[in-house]
Amino acid sequence: MTDQPKGEFVCKTDEIQLKHALRILIDDYPVAIVKDSMGDIHAIGDTCSHADISLSEGEVEGCMIECWGHGSQFDLRSGEPLQLPAYDPVPVFAVEIVGDEVYVDFTNVLNGAEAPNFS
């Protein structure tokens, strides 16, 4: 008997292209499911902390995503801004991969950034 994955099923791994993001909504809250340059999958809040702009439409390079609006860059692992004008982090959620399925635990914000209460 296998343990149930923690979190909610969001997509299959092959639905996310390398160096791209998939935007999903959880209770009307936008989340970006991102496959970085190494093929690792991350889940972050999809709204730039500087302006109300979707990060999933930005460029992914290495473990970073860039907001297309003003050039702010965020570390996909920590949510920390790497480039101004953003100075607040975006939330980073726990991800579990089971086979080819991606699960995100929206109740587990790994970096302590402000996020809605999904419990």
Side-chain angles (χ1 to χ4, degrees), residues 8 23-32 45-47 52 93 106 115-118:
E8 191 173 318
R23 184 177 193 266
I24 63 168
L25 291 175
I26 301 298
D27 295 338
D28 295 325
Y29 180 79
V31 175
D46 187 45
T47 305
D52 190 19
F93 301 98
F106 297 104
N117 184 0
F118 292 112

Side-chain angles (χ1 to χ4, degrees), residues 72-117:
S72 291
Q73 299 172 350
F74 297 90
D75 187 306
L76 293 168
R77 299 161 296 189
S78 68
E80 290 295 321
L82 303 171
Q83 178 75 33
L84 293 174
Y87 55 88
D88 290 324
V90 294
V92 175
F93 301 98
V95 174
E96 185 175 350
I97 309 296
V98 179
D100 65 345
E101 298 180 334
V102 179
Y103 293 84
V104 177
D105 185 353
F106 297 104
T107 64
N108 188 359
V109 181
L110 299 175
N111 65 343
E114 187 176 331
N117 184 0

Side-chain angles (χ1 to χ4, degrees), residues 1 3-4 14 16 24 26 36-37 44 47 50 54 56 63 70-71 79 82 92 96:
M1 180 177 214
D3 291 328
Q4 270 300 96
D14 63 359
I16 315 162
I24 63 168
I26 301 298
D36 68 21
S37 296
I44 63 169
T47 305
H50 168 255
S54 173
S56 63
C63 284
H70 299 107
L82 303 171
V92 175
E96 185 175 350

